[in-house]
Amino acid sequence: MSPARPSFADWPCSVARTVDIIGDAWTSLILREAFYGSCRFDEFQQQLGIARNTLTDRLRRLVDEGLMERRLYESEPPRHEYRLTEKGRDFFPVLAALTRWGDRWLAGAEGVPVTLHHEACDQDAHAEVVCSSCGEPMRSEDTSVRMGPGYPERLRTRPDVQRRFAQS
């Protein structure tokens, strides 16, 4: 039996907190399938080839975390479908960014496996992370991190934290 996975839910980092919810491959792939239109257990299971117990666990977690909601669609026998909530739909840019990275670095010579089509302008497109203030692309070389208002007061004065957030 493998040791329990550590929880990152209380870490002062949005990446860690997000990974705590979606930090395994199946969860992201279930969300991808939901964006593709799957909503029923058997659809997810068939599309992904995932074990039923694993799918049950991941769907329960997504419902508990508020990314999906479980709705009864048949009463005899009881059957449910899983629909993205607003919180779940708000995960789309994350999947689009993963797609963009995979398209750039992992696509073979035959080209990208899936193309995103932006219905608003009727063009094939890819995700870009841009600054919400100026609209320019955000790249690691021109972006720094700073403590936000939610950073725990008890950690702010630690030397290692001070070094991490020191202005260069």
Side-chain angles (χ1 to χ4, degrees), residues 93-134:
V94 178
L95 291 176
L98 286 171
T99 299
R100 171 66 169 155
W101 186 89
D103 288 349
R104 179 170 181 198
W105 296 104
L106 306 174
E110 62 279 358
V112 301
V114 175
T115 301
L116 298 177
H117 187 81
H118 190 228
E119 298 298 330
C121 68
D122 196 29
Q123 297 294 313
D124 289 345
H126 60 264
E128 290 284 340
V129 177
V130 299
C131 174
S132 61
S133 292
C134 70

mmCIF file of all heavy atoms in Angstrom, residues 93-134:
data_model
loop_
_atom_site.group_PDB
_atom_site.id
_atom_site.type_symbol
_atom_site.label_atom_id
_atom_site.label_comp_id
_atom_site.label_asym_id
_atom_site.label_seq_id
_atom_site.Cartn_x
_atom_site.Cartn_y
_atom_site.Cartn_z
ATOM 1 N N PRO A 93 -9.244 27.745 -18.856
ATOM 2 C CA PRO A 93 -7.964 28.347 -19.272
ATOM 3 C C PRO A 93 -6.743 27.544 -18.829
ATOM 4 O O PRO A 93 -5.717 27.554 -19.507
ATOM 5 C CB PRO A 93 -7.977 29.734 -18.626
ATOM 6 C CG PRO A 93 -9.417 30.033 -18.391
ATOM 7 C CD PRO A 93 -10.063 28.701 -18.093
ATOM 8 N N VAL A 94 -6.849 26.827 -17.722
ATOM 9 C CA VAL A 94 -5.736 25.988 -17.264
ATOM 10 C C VAL A 94 -5.514 24.852 -18.255
ATOM 11 O O VAL A 94 -4.381 24.585 -18.668
ATOM 12 C CB VAL A 94 -6.004 25.438 -15.847
ATOM 13 C CG1 VAL A 94 -4.875 24.525 -15.391
ATOM 14 C CG2 VAL A 94 -6.227 26.578 -14.857
ATOM 15 N N LEU A 95 -6.603 24.202 -18.654
ATOM 16 C CA LEU A 95 -6.479 23.128 -19.652
ATOM 17 C C LEU A 95 -5.991 23.669 -20.993
ATOM 18 O O LEU A 95 -5.193 23.024 -21.671
ATOM 19 C CB LEU A 95 -7.820 22.410 -19.821
ATOM 20 C CG LEU A 95 -8.278 21.578 -18.632
ATOM 21 C CD1 LEU A 95 -9.659 20.995 -18.893
ATOM 22 C CD2 LEU A 95 -7.285 20.478 -18.305
ATOM 23 N N ALA A 96 -6.454 24.849 -21.360
ATOM 24 C CA ALA A 96 -6.006 25.453 -22.620
ATOM 25 C C ALA A 96 -4.510 25.766 -22.564
ATOM 26 O O ALA A 96 -3.793 25.570 -23.554
ATOM 27 C CB ALA A 96 -6.815 26.713 -22.927
ATOM 28 N N ALA A 97 -4.030 26.227 -21.406
ATOM 29 C CA ALA A 97 -2.595 26.499 -21.264
ATOM 30 C C ALA A 97 -1.792 25.203 -21.310
ATOM 31 O O ALA A 97 -0.721 25.163 -21.936
ATOM 32 C CB ALA A 97 -2.332 27.260 -19.962
ATOM 33 N N LEU A 98 -2.284 24.137 -20.677
ATOM 34 C CA LEU A 98 -1.609 22.842 -20.763
ATOM 35 C C LEU A 98 -1.569 22.349 -22.206
ATOM 36 O O LEU A 98 -0.555 21.808 -22.659
ATOM 37 C CB LEU A 98 -2.320 21.813 -19.881
ATOM 38 C CG LEU A 98 -2.129 21.945 -18.379
ATOM 39 C CD1 LEU A 98 -3.083 20.998 -17.641
ATOM 40 C CD2 LEU A 98 -0.693 21.680 -17.982
ATOM 41 N N THR A 99 -2.671 22.549 -22.910
ATOM 42 C CA THR A 99 -2.728 22.163 -24.317
ATOM 43 C C THR A 99 -1.685 22.919 -25.118
ATOM 44 O O THR A 99 -0.952 22.345 -25.937
ATOM 45 C CB THR A 99 -4.139 22.426 -24.883
ATOM 46 O OG1 THR A 99 -5.085 21.639 -24.155
ATOM 47 C CG2 THR A 99 -4.224 22.093 -26.359
ATOM 48 N N ARG A 100 -1.587 24.219 -24.902
ATOM 49 C CA ARG A 100 -0.624 25.062 -25.633
ATOM 50 C C ARG A 100 0.800 24.566 -25.401
ATOM 51 O O ARG A 100 1.590 24.431 -26.333
ATOM 52 C CB ARG A 100 -0.783 26.517 -25.195
ATOM 53 C CG ARG A 100 0.273 27.474 -25.704
ATOM 54 C CD ARG A 100 0.222 27.644 -27.192
ATOM 55 N NE ARG A 100 1.078 28.755 -27.574
ATOM 56 C CZ ARG A 100 1.625 28.880 -28.746
ATOM 57 N NH1 ARG A 100 1.380 28.008 -29.678
ATOM 58 N NH2 ARG A 100 2.394 29.893 -29.021
ATOM 59 N N TRP A 101 1.131 24.293 -24.132
ATOM 60 C CA TRP A 101 2.472 23.822 -23.817
ATOM 61 C C TRP A 101 2.720 22.475 -24.490
ATOM 62 O O TRP A 101 3.764 22.258 -25.115
ATOM 63 C CB TRP A 101 2.649 23.725 -22.296
ATOM 64 C CG TRP A 101 4.051 23.385 -21.895
ATOM 65 C CD1 TRP A 101 5.076 24.259 -21.663
ATOM 66 C CD2 TRP A 101 4.589 22.073 -21.698
ATOM 67 N NE1 TRP A 101 6.214 23.562 -21.327
ATOM 68 C CE2 TRP A 101 5.936 22.220 -21.345
ATOM 69 C CE3 TRP A 101 4.057 20.795 -21.784
ATOM 70 C CZ2 TRP A 101 6.766 21.137 -21.071
ATOM 71 C CZ3 TRP A 101 4.879 19.693 -21.513
ATOM 72 C CH2 TRP A 101 6.220 19.888 -21.160
ATOM 73 N N GLY A 102 1.767 21.552 -24.372
ATOM 74 C CA GLY A 102 1.914 20.237 -24.999
ATOM 75 C C GLY A 102 2.022 20.324 -26.516
ATOM 76 O O GLY A 102 2.795 19.594 -27.133
ATOM 77 N N ASP A 103 1.242 21.240 -27.112
ATOM 78 C CA ASP A 103 1.324 21.427 -28.562
ATOM 79 C C ASP A 103 2.712 21.895 -28.974
ATOM 80 O O ASP A 103 3.255 21.464 -29.990
ATOM 81 C CB ASP A 103 0.282 22.439 -29.040
ATOM 82 C CG ASP A 103 -1.139 21.906 -28.998
ATOM 83 O OD1 ASP A 103 -1.339 20.694 -28.801
ATOM 84 O OD2 ASP A 103 -2.057 22.733 -29.165
ATOM 85 N N ARG A 104 3.285 22.779 -28.178
ATOM 86 C CA ARG A 104 4.606 23.321 -28.541
ATOM 87 C C ARG A 104 5.718 22.297 -28.340
ATOM 88 O O ARG A 104 6.612 22.179 -29.171
ATOM 89 C CB ARG A 104 4.903 24.568 -27.709
ATOM 90 C CG ARG A 104 6.266 25.139 -28.029
ATOM 91 C CD ARG A 104 6.527 26.473 -27.423
ATOM 92 N NE ARG A 104 7.857 26.923 -27.830
ATOM 93 C CZ ARG A 104 8.528 27.861 -27.226
ATOM 94 N NH1 ARG A 104 7.990 28.513 -26.221
ATOM 95 N NH2 ARG A 104 9.729 28.193 -27.643
ATOM 96 N N TRP A 105 5.670 21.563 -27.241
ATOM 97 C CA TRP A 105 6.803 20.738 -26.875
ATOM 98 C C TRP A 105 6.614 19.239 -27.092
ATOM 99 O O TRP A 105 7.607 18.498 -27.079
ATOM 100 C CB TRP A 105 7.170 20.995 -25.403
ATOM 101 C CG TRP A 105 7.631 22.388 -25.202
ATOM 102 C CD1 TRP A 105 6.913 23.412 -24.643
ATOM 103 C CD2 TRP A 105 8.882 22.951 -25.598
ATOM 104 N NE1 TRP A 105 7.656 24.574 -24.653
ATOM 105 C CE2 TRP A 105 8.865 24.318 -25.233
ATOM 106 C CE3 TRP A 105 10.014 22.433 -26.210
ATOM 107 C CZ2 TRP A 105 9.944 25.158 -25.477
ATOM 108 C CZ3 TRP A 105 11.093 23.281 -26.451
ATOM 109 C CH2 TRP A 105 11.043 24.621 -26.081
ATOM 110 N N LEU A 106 5.398 18.775 -27.276
ATOM 111 C CA LEU A 106 5.173 17.338 -27.337
ATOM 112 C C LEU A 106 4.501 16.845 -28.611
ATOM 113 O O LEU A 106 4.431 15.638 -28.836
ATOM 114 C CB LEU A 106 4.344 16.889 -26.120
ATOM 115 C CG LEU A 106 4.908 17.281 -24.749
ATOM 116 C CD1 LEU A 106 3.926 16.914 -23.654
ATOM 117 C CD2 LEU A 106 6.269 16.637 -24.519
ATOM 118 N N ALA A 107 3.996 17.750 -29.439
ATOM 119 C CA ALA A 107 3.328 17.317 -30.675
ATOM 120 C C ALA A 107 4.360 16.731 -31.633
ATOM 121 O O ALA A 107 5.492 17.199 -31.727
ATOM 122 C CB ALA A 107 2.605 18.500 -31.320
ATOM 123 N N GLY A 108 3.959 15.705 -32.323
ATOM 124 C CA GLY A 108 4.852 15.072 -33.278
ATOM 125 C C GLY A 108 4.883 15.823 -34.596
ATOM 126 O O GLY A 108 4.226 16.859 -34.775
ATOM 127 N N ALA A 109 5.617 15.288 -35.544
ATOM 128 C CA ALA A 109 5.763 15.908 -36.862
ATOM 129 C C ALA A 109 4.429 16.031 -37.594
ATOM 130 O O ALA A 109 4.253 16.912 -38.435
ATOM 131 C CB ALA A 109 6.751 15.105 -37.707
ATOM 132 N N GLU A 110 3.474 15.160 -37.261
ATOM 133 C CA GLU A 110 2.163 15.206 -37.916
ATOM 134 C C GLU A 110 1.305 16.388 -37.455
ATOM 135 O O GLU A 110 0.301 16.693 -38.065
ATOM 136 C CB GLU A 110 1.409 13.883 -37.705
ATOM 137 C CG GLU A 110 1.098 13.537 -36.271
ATOM 138 C CD GLU A 110 2.259 12.906 -35.492
ATOM 139 O OE1 GLU A 110 3.346 12.690 -36.079
ATOM 140 O OE2 GLU A 110 2.083 12.660 -34.294
ATOM 141 N N GLY A 111 1.716 17.065 -36.377
ATOM 142 C CA GLY A 111 0.990 18.249 -35.911
ATOM 143 C C GLY A 111 0.257 18.012 -34.606
ATOM 144 O O GLY A 111 0.323 16.937 -34.018
ATOM 145 N N VAL A 112 -0.443 19.026 -34.163
ATOM 146 C CA VAL A 112 -1.136 18.961 -32.875
ATOM 147 C C VAL A 112 -2.329 18.013 -32.973
ATOM 148 O O VAL A 112 -2.981 17.939 -34.012
ATOM 149 C CB VAL A 112 -1.583 20.360 -32.387
ATOM 150 C CG1 VAL A 112 -0.383 21.290 -32.250
ATOM 151 C CG2 VAL A 112 -2.623 20.970 -33.295
ATOM 152 N N PRO A 113 -2.620 17.279 -31.895
ATOM 153 C CA PRO A 113 -3.712 16.316 -31.951
ATOM 154 C C PRO A 113 -5.109 16.934 -31.874
ATOM 155 O O PRO A 113 -6.060 16.389 -32.418
ATOM 156 C CB PRO A 113 -3.456 15.406 -30.745
ATOM 157 C CG PRO A 113 -2.607 16.208 -29.828
ATOM 158 C CD PRO A 113 -1.832 17.161 -30.675
ATOM 159 N N VAL A 114 -5.250 18.065 -31.202
ATOM 160 C CA VAL A 114 -6.549 18.725 -31.048
ATOM 161 C C VAL A 114 -6.349 20.220 -31.247
ATOM 162 O O VAL A 114 -5.383 20.799 -30.746
ATOM 163 C CB VAL A 114 -7.145 18.465 -29.636
ATOM 164 C CG1 VAL A 114 -8.424 19.243 -29.419
ATOM 165 C CG2 VAL A 114 -7.387 16.972 -29.429
ATOM 166 N N THR A 115 -7.238 20.832 -31.979
ATOM 167 C CA THR A 115 -7.177 22.276 -32.205
ATOM 168 C C THR A 115 -8.318 22.947 -31.459
ATOM 169 O O THR A 115 -9.456 22.470 -31.481
ATOM 170 C CB THR A 115 -7.306 22.586 -33.713
ATOM 171 O OG1 THR A 115 -6.245 21.917 -34.403
ATOM 172 C CG2 THR A 115 -7.207 24.066 -33.990
ATOM 173 N N LEU A 116 -8.015 24.047 -30.792
ATOM 174 C CA LEU A 116 -9.051 24.842 -30.143
ATOM 175 C C LEU A 116 -9.594 25.828 -31.174
ATOM 176 O O LEU A 116 -8.825 26.520 -31.838
ATOM 177 C CB LEU A 116 -8.485 25.592 -28.937
ATOM 178 C CG LEU A 116 -7.929 24.733 -27.804
ATOM 179 C CD1 LEU A 116 -7.342 25.617 -26.708
ATOM 180 C CD2 LEU A 116 -8.989 23.812 -27.233
ATOM 181 N N HIS A 117 -10.897 25.891 -31.276
ATOM 182 C CA HIS A 117 -11.534 26.813 -32.222
ATOM 183 C C HIS A 117 -12.320 27.840 -31.422
ATOM 184 O O HIS A 117 -13.204 27.488 -30.643
ATOM 185 C CB HIS A 117 -12.469 26.060 -33.174
ATOM 186 C CG HIS A 117 -13.020 26.926 -34.256
ATOM 187 N ND1 HIS A 117 -12.302 27.235 -35.392
ATOM 188 C CD2 HIS A 117 -14.205 27.569 -34.364
ATOM 189 C CE1 HIS A 117 -13.023 28.023 -36.163
ATOM 190 N NE2 HIS A 117 -14.180 28.242 -35.565
ATOM 191 N N HIS A 118 -11.977 29.108 -31.587
ATOM 192 C CA HIS A 118 -12.634 30.195 -30.862
ATOM 193 C C HIS A 118 -13.884 30.608 -31.630
ATOM 194 O O HIS A 118 -13.790 31.216 -32.702
ATOM 195 C CB HIS A 118 -11.668 31.369 -30.695
ATOM 196 C CG HIS A 118 -12.157 32.417 -29.775
ATOM 197 N ND1 HIS A 118 -12.131 33.754 -30.083
ATOM 198 C CD2 HIS A 118 -12.687 32.327 -28.534
ATOM 199 C CE1 HIS A 118 -12.624 34.443 -29.075
ATOM 200 N NE2 HIS A 118 -12.973 33.596 -28.125
ATOM 201 N N GLU A 119 -15.045 30.253 -31.092
ATOM 202 C CA GLU A 119 -16.306 30.495 -31.781
ATOM 203 C C GLU A 119 -16.581 31.992 -31.977
ATOM 204 O O GLU A 119 -17.179 32.388 -32.981
ATOM 205 C CB GLU A 119 -17.467 29.849 -31.021
ATOM 206 C CG GLU A 119 -17.367 28.335 -30.901
ATOM 207 C CD GLU A 119 -17.388 27.607 -32.237
ATOM 208 O OE1 GLU A 119 -18.004 28.106 -33.206
ATOM 209 O OE2 GLU A 119 -16.778 26.524 -32.310
ATOM 210 N N ALA A 120 -16.130 32.824 -31.049
ATOM 211 C CA ALA A 120 -16.412 34.266 -31.127
ATOM 212 C C ALA A 120 -15.848 34.903 -32.393
ATOM 213 O O ALA A 120 -16.466 35.779 -32.989
ATOM 214 C CB ALA A 120 -15.873 34.980 -29.887
ATOM 215 N N CYS A 121 -14.657 34.450 -32.821
ATOM 216 C CA CYS A 121 -14.043 35.022 -34.031
ATOM 217 C C CYS A 121 -13.958 34.014 -35.168
ATOM 218 O O CYS A 121 -13.433 34.327 -36.235
ATOM 219 C CB CYS A 121 -12.674 35.607 -33.709
ATOM 220 S SG CYS A 121 -11.420 34.384 -33.264
ATOM 221 N N ASP A 122 -14.423 32.793 -34.920
ATOM 222 C CA ASP A 122 -14.427 31.723 -35.912
ATOM 223 C C ASP A 122 -13.017 31.393 -36.420
ATOM 224 O O ASP A 122 -12.811 31.142 -37.601
ATOM 225 C CB ASP A 122 -15.369 32.064 -37.078
ATOM 226 C CG ASP A 122 -15.710 30.843 -37.920
ATOM 227 O OD1 ASP A 122 -15.722 29.717 -37.372
ATOM 228 O OD2 ASP A 122 -15.941 31.008 -39.135
ATOM 229 N N GLN A 123 -12.042 31.390 -35.493
ATOM 230 C CA GLN A 123 -10.655 31.091 -35.855
ATOM 231 C C GLN A 123 -10.111 29.989 -34.957
ATOM 232 O O GLN A 123 -10.485 29.903 -33.777
ATOM 233 C CB GLN A 123 -9.766 32.339 -35.675
ATOM 234 C CG GLN A 123 -10.135 33.506 -36.563
ATOM 235 C CD GLN A 123 -9.893 33.201 -38.024
ATOM 236 O OE1 GLN A 123 -8.844 32.691 -38.403
ATOM 237 N NE2 GLN A 123 -10.869 33.513 -38.861
ATOM 238 N N ASP A 124 -9.214 29.165 -35.508
ATOM 239 C CA ASP A 124 -8.457 28.254 -34.670
ATOM 240 C C ASP A 124 -7.480 29.106 -33.872
ATOM 241 O O ASP A 124 -6.937 30.098 -34.387
ATOM 242 C CB ASP A 124 -7.708 27.226 -35.511
ATOM 243 C CG ASP A 124 -8.653 26.220 -36.156
ATOM 244 O OD1 ASP A 124 -9.830 26.146 -35.734
ATOM 245 O OD2 ASP A 124 -8.214 25.506 -37.067
ATOM 246 N N ALA A 125 -7.272 28.744 -32.609
ATOM 247 C CA ALA A 125 -6.469 29.589 -31.723
ATOM 248 C C ALA A 125 -5.732 28.727 -30.703
ATOM 249 O O ALA A 125 -5.942 27.519 -30.618
ATOM 250 C CB ALA A 125 -7.371 30.597 -31.019
ATOM 251 N N HIS A 126 -4.868 29.355 -29.951
ATOM 252 C CA HIS A 126 -4.200 28.711 -28.826
ATOM 253 C C HIS A 126 -4.233 29.673 -27.646
ATOM 254 O O HIS A 126 -4.458 30.873 -27.804
ATOM 255 C CB HIS A 126 -2.763 28.303 -29.175
ATOM 256 C CG HIS A 126 -1.906 29.465 -29.564
ATOM 257 N ND1 HIS A 126 -1.704 29.808 -30.874
ATOM 258 C CD2 HIS A 126 -1.215 30.358 -28.824
ATOM 259 C CE1 HIS A 126 -0.914 30.883 -30.922
ATOM 260 N NE2 HIS A 126 -0.609 31.221 -29.692
ATOM 261 N N ALA A 127 -4.020 29.128 -26.468
ATOM 262 C CA ALA A 127 -4.054 29.939 -25.249
ATOM 263 C C ALA A 127 -2.822 30.824 -25.146
ATOM 264 O O ALA A 127 -1.728 30.425 -25.544
ATOM 265 C CB ALA A 127 -4.143 29.030 -24.026
ATOM 266 N N GLU A 128 -3.013 31.994 -24.630
ATOM 267 C CA GLU A 128 -1.926 32.912 -24.304
ATOM 268 C C GLU A 128 -2.187 33.446 -22.899
ATOM 269 O O GLU A 128 -3.319 33.827 -22.592
ATOM 270 C CB GLU A 128 -1.904 34.109 -25.265
ATOM 271 C CG GLU A 128 -1.486 33.783 -26.672
ATOM 272 C CD GLU A 128 0.010 33.566 -26.821
ATOM 273 O OE1 GLU A 128 0.783 34.011 -25.950
ATOM 274 O OE2 GLU A 128 0.386 32.929 -27.804
ATOM 275 N N VAL A 129 -1.180 33.485 -22.068
ATOM 276 C CA VAL A 129 -1.316 34.096 -20.750
ATOM 277 C C VAL A 129 -0.857 35.539 -20.896
ATOM 278 O O VAL A 129 0.288 35.801 -21.257
ATOM 279 C CB VAL A 129 -0.493 33.352 -19.685
ATOM 280 C CG1 VAL A 129 -0.595 34.051 -18.339
ATOM 281 C CG2 VAL A 129 -0.951 31.904 -19.583
ATOM 282 N N VAL A 130 -1.784 36.453 -20.650
ATOM 283 C CA VAL A 130 -1.475 37.875 -20.801
ATOM 284 C C VAL A 130 -1.741 38.601 -19.493
ATOM 285 O O VAL A 130 -2.546 38.169 -18.671
ATOM 286 C CB VAL A 130 -2.281 38.526 -21.945
ATOM 287 C CG1 VAL A 130 -1.957 37.874 -23.285
ATOM 288 C CG2 VAL A 130 -3.762 38.487 -21.668
ATOM 289 N N CYS A 131 -1.075 39.724 -19.323
ATOM 290 C CA CYS A 131 -1.252 40.564 -18.150
ATOM 291 C C CYS A 131 -2.656 41.155 -18.162
ATOM 292 O O CYS A 131 -3.104 41.697 -19.173
ATOM 293 C CB CYS A 131 -0.202 41.678 -18.157
ATOM 294 S SG CYS A 131 -0.431 42.882 -16.820
ATOM 295 N N SER A 132 -3.337 41.063 -17.037
ATOM 296 C CA SER A 132 -4.696 41.597 -16.946
ATOM 297 C C SER A 132 -4.711 43.123 -16.970
ATOM 298 O O SER A 132 -5.755 43.717 -17.221
ATOM 299 C CB SER A 132 -5.379 41.096 -15.674
ATOM 300 O OG SER A 132 -4.670 41.513 -14.521
ATOM 301 N N SER A 133 -3.574 43.762 -16.741
ATOM 302 C CA SER A 133 -3.523 45.227 -16.762
ATOM 303 C C SER A 133 -3.170 45.797 -18.127
ATOM 304 O O SER A 133 -3.827 46.704 -18.618
ATOM 305 C CB SER A 133 -2.508 45.746 -15.728
ATOM 306 O OG SER A 133 -2.963 45.477 -14.428
ATOM 307 N N CYS A 134 -2.117 45.274 -18.755
ATOM 308 C CA CYS A 134 -1.654 45.875 -20.012
ATOM 309 C C CYS A 134 -1.934 45.021 -21.247
ATOM 310 O O CYS A 134 -1.779 45.491 -22.369
ATOM 311 C CB CYS A 134 -0.164 46.197 -19.927
ATOM 312 S SG CYS A 134 0.917 44.746 -19.899
#
